[in-house]
Amino acid sequence: MLGKIEAIVIGGSWGGIDAVIKILSALPSDFKPTMVIALHRPKNVVNSLEGILKKYSKVPFSEPYDKEEIKLNHVYLAPSNYHLLIEKNKIFSLDVSEPVNYFRPSIDVLFESAAEVYGKFLAGILLTGANKDGGNGMKTIAGKGGFTIVQDPSTAASGIMPSAALRLIKPDFLGSVHSITELISSGKEFIWQ
Amino acid sequence: MKEGKDNKIVLLEDDQLEDLFVSLRQRYGYDFTGYAKASIKRRVQKFIDTIEMESVDLLKNQLLRDEAFFKYFLDEITVNVTEMFRDPLFFASLKKNVFPLLNTYPFIKIWDAGCSSGEELYSLAIFLDEEGLYGKSRIYATDISQRVLDKAMDGIYPIDMMKEYTGNYIHAGGKRSFSEYYTAMYGNAIFRGRLKKNVMFSAHNLAVDESFNEFNLIVCRNVLIYFNRDLQERVIELFLKSLPVFGFLALGNKETLSFSIFRDHFEEIDKAQKIYRRIN
């Protein structure tokens, strides 16, 4: 039995862009929870990921500014070359401290700070990737009573990232991007009131 | 973990952090109470984990007793990660949109606020030099940490970084060969002394210190992100006091004045690169 889900955090690396596009494309325009996505990508390149993903989202979509208030019914993308964190009063903070697990934005940094704020009202989704970022974040989400969703490594472009998470937690849901998309877009499992 | 201990992790609570910062402010005058909690808490937690401190109380006692330990703590919890020509398009925009206007002044004063170990400072100096503005410029480079200011004064960086920095420099529209600006020696790149000839280095704490001059351009990129909104307002007001009308303010590309009560004093002259100009 799931509680109300207020926010969903998503992390992915190698192959993650395609997986995120599938999820975004399926969300109805009135999808109520806040969604925050961290994807690994090269830094100091002209930033086009925001423009690419935006086209697939019927839900309002943007990269947040530092100290921006977090809205429901909005999808946020962690900006390139910053860590993205969430403050207790539900505003974003950015950080350019050292990369974590070689990456900035780091999925662990986002997930851990989101878990602190949203607790059991948070769902975390860890997708395909070729490194182990995100595993500790998923463990923190589970520890705070949040709902954990991991892409089945056998269905992932690279199974290293979901496999690393599976060594740390037993997720509440394990499946392909297709089944994850059905789970969250149908709203059947999430009792959002 | 210490021998004989189980793997007990010291978890820092919000009220412990607040109490620690209030004590440090009283003892040393450094004020972290206005820092953005999520980020600073992560840094302090990391510090506790790294040195395997056994409780938050022990950490507090040692910090209050031992000033050298406090300085070490200060360096560890403040973020000093930077690079040369970070965000090349920002430097391209500075050269295109700001330098021609600065060139109309007989004398140019620039404040690099939160200059860290100096990578941004040398990037600025290089572009001012290439545009023929360096000779009439004075750059005031300030940071909260004396240790990083010393590094900035040295202007010596690992040679391994030069490949990335050269790429950034070219992408920003640099006109020369980047290697003209440094001498490679013992695994380091030593930047040319003439680049710091017109630079004044000094310690300045944005959280507690006041305005100390008036500038044509203030560069303060990815520093405000570490502050909460109240402290950000204090610093923006400090910048406002330090800028004449038509003075420029450059922030990080994900920092905005949109949430500030002082926003109507500024116009955005490059929306993507977050370069503002004071208009009243």
Side-chain angles (χ1 to χ4, degrees):
Chain A
M1 179 71 176
L2 301 174
K4 290 190 283 184
I5 293 297
E6 185 175 350
I8 300 173
V9 286
I10 299 182
S13 188
W14 178 257
I17 294 174
D18 289 343
V20 164
I21 285 173
K22 283 186 188 139
I23 293 171
L24 287 180
S25 305
L27 298 181
S29 61
D30 60 351
F31 185 74
K32 198 155 178 197
T34 301
M35 186 177 272
V36 190
I37 302 166
L39 284 170
H40 294 161
R41 54 201 147 125
K43 60 174 187 170
N44 283 337
V45 294
V46 177
N47 184 7
S48 54
L49 190 57
E50 182 186 16
I52 292 167
L53 294 182
K54 199 174 188 157
K55 284 189 290 192
Y56 293 94
S57 179
K58 293 182 277 292
V59 182
F61 182 100
S62 64
E63 281 187 357
Y65 284 101
D66 178 58
K67 302 299 172 308
E68 184 170 328
E69 280 173 32
I70 298 174
K71 291 193 197 107
L72 292 168
N73 184 227
H74 200 109
V75 180
Y76 298 94
L77 174 68
S80 168
N81 214 0
Y82 288 94
H83 291 305
L84 181 63
L85 300 98
I86 297 175
E87 299 286 346
K88 286 267 158 68
N89 51 355
K90 291 180 188 164
I91 63 177
F92 286 113
S93 268
L94 296 167
D95 175 322
V96 289
S97 60
E98 300 80 356
V100 175
N101 303 315
Y102 309 102
F103 283 97
R104 191 173 57 210
S106 148
I107 299 164
D108 278 342
V109 171
L110 170 66
F111 281 16
E112 284 165 10
S113 82
E116 285 263 319
V117 175
Y118 290 102
K120 64 179 180 171
F121 302 109
L122 179 73
I125 303 177
L126 195 64
L127 299 169
T128 168
N131 64 82
K132 65 178 185 60
D133 193 20
N136 286 326
M138 290 296 270
K139 198 176 159 189
T140 309
I141 292 172
K144 297 274 177 187
F147 193 78
T148 52
I149 300 169
V150 176
Q151 181 176 359
D152 184 340
S154 68
T155 70
S158 170
I160 296 171
M161 187 182 273
S163 297
L166 292 176
R167 285 194 290 275
L168 298 174
I169 58 154
K170 187 181 176 300
D172 297 302
F173 186 91
L174 179 71
S176 64
V177 170
H178 182 72
S179 61
I180 292 170
T181 304
E182 283 206 325
L183 173 75
I184 63 163
S185 61
S186 68
K188 275 179 208 145
E189 294 290 323
F190 294 106
I191 303 159
W192 177 263
Q193 287 157 354
Chain B
M1 294 293 148
K2 295 253 163 62
E3 242 179 59
K5 298 266 170 200
D6 52 13
N7 281 4
K8 190 168 161 283
I9 298 162
V10 177
L11 270 184
L12 180 67
E13 301 294 335
D14 285 356
D15 51 349
Q16 291 175 313
L17 186 69
E18 195 64 26
D19 170 66
L20 177 68
F21 285 162
V22 169
S23 304
L24 292 177
R25 181 174 62 193
Q26 286 163 353
R27 170 75 173 84
Y28 295 110
Y30 283 90
D31 190 356
F32 292 100
T33 59
Y35 277 53
K37 284 287 170 300
S39 173
I40 195 79
K41 190 178 171 190
R42 189 177 148 254
R43 310 280 304 171
V44 176
Q45 180 70 58
K46 206 172 132 196
F47 183 81
I48 291 170
D49 297 346
T50 307
I51 63 165
E52 299 178 4
M53 190 53 86
E54 283 159 45
S55 78
V56 181
D57 280 340
L58 283 173
L59 172 70
K60 182 177 149 184
N61 291 341
Q62 193 174 341
L63 283 170
L64 294 177
R65 206 174 46 234
D66 181 349
E67 187 162 1
F69 182 67
F70 170 71
K71 292 281 183 199
Y72 171 59
F73 173 79
L74 184 69
D75 287 336
E76 292 298 310
I77 66 163
T78 49
V79 175
N80 292 305
V81 180
T82 175
E83 58 189 274
M84 297 189 85
F85 293 96
R86 181 190 156 113
D87 307 316
L89 295 181
F90 163 74
F91 284 92
S93 178
L94 202 59
K95 187 156 86 171
K96 178 169 171 263
N97 299 311
V98 177
F99 283 4
L101 291 157
L102 292 183
N103 202 13
T104 62
Y105 297 106
F107 191 69
I108 305 165
K109 279 194 287 190
I110 299 172
W111 181 11
D112 189 9
C115 69
S116 190
S117 39
E119 285 86 339
E120 180 178 77
L121 171 71
Y122 288 96
S123 310
L124 275 172
I126 286 168
F127 264 23
L128 287 166
D129 187 53
E130 291 188 7
E131 299 306 301
L133 271 60
Y134 188 75
K136 62 173 180 175
S137 299
R138 289 291 174 278
I139 309 175
Y140 296 75
T142 66
D143 201 274
I144 184 176
S145 160
Q146 187 60 47
R147 188 186 62 90
V148 296
L149 275 175
D150 290 342
K151 281 181 76 175
M153 281 182 233
D154 290 342
I156 300 173
Y157 306 107
I159 197 86
D160 308 347
M161 300 306 299
M162 292 308 126
K163 190 177 168 213
E164 183 182 336
Y165 295 169
T166 303
N168 288 352
Y169 167 77
I170 292 167
H171 193 178
K175 287 178 174 170
R176 297 180 193 147
S177 162
F178 192 58
S179 59
E180 285 177 33
Y181 292 106
Y182 61 85
T183 306
M185 204 182 278
Y186 308 118
N188 285 314
I190 304 166
F191 277 78
R192 301 260 178 249
R194 64 181 166 83
L195 294 171
K196 56 190 169 192
K197 191 180 68 179
N198 294 347
V199 182
M200 257 70 54
F201 295 91
S202 68
H204 183 277
N205 183 344
L206 290 167
V208 295
D209 292 337
E210 293 304 320
S211 169
F212 59 96
N213 211 326
E214 204 172 66
F215 302 94
N216 307 103
L217 165 66
I218 298 175
V219 179
C220 184
R221 298 169 66 230
N222 301 316
V223 176
L224 293 179
I225 51 177
Y226 300 108
F227 303 158
N228 67 25
R229 276 198 189 172
D230 289 343
L231 183 52
Q232 288 187 348
E233 291 292 33
R234 180 201 194 270
V235 178
I236 293 164
E237 188 176 14
L238 176 66
F239 290 159
L240 194 61
K241 286 179 184 162
S242 311
L243 283 171
V245 172
F246 301 132
F248 294 93
L249 173 62
L251 301 178
N253 57 19
K254 285 291 161 188
E255 294 173 317
T256 176
L257 294 179
S258 300
F259 312 137
S260 168
I261 56 170
F262 303 108
R263 63 175 175 260
D264 294 337
H265 288 279
F266 295 92
E267 66 173 355
E268 214 168 32
I269 67 157
D270 185 330
K271 195 171 158 40
Q273 300 306 326
K274 288 291 168 280
I275 302 175
Y276 292 89
R277 178 161 57 173
R278 183 173 177 186
I279 48 171
N280 64 59

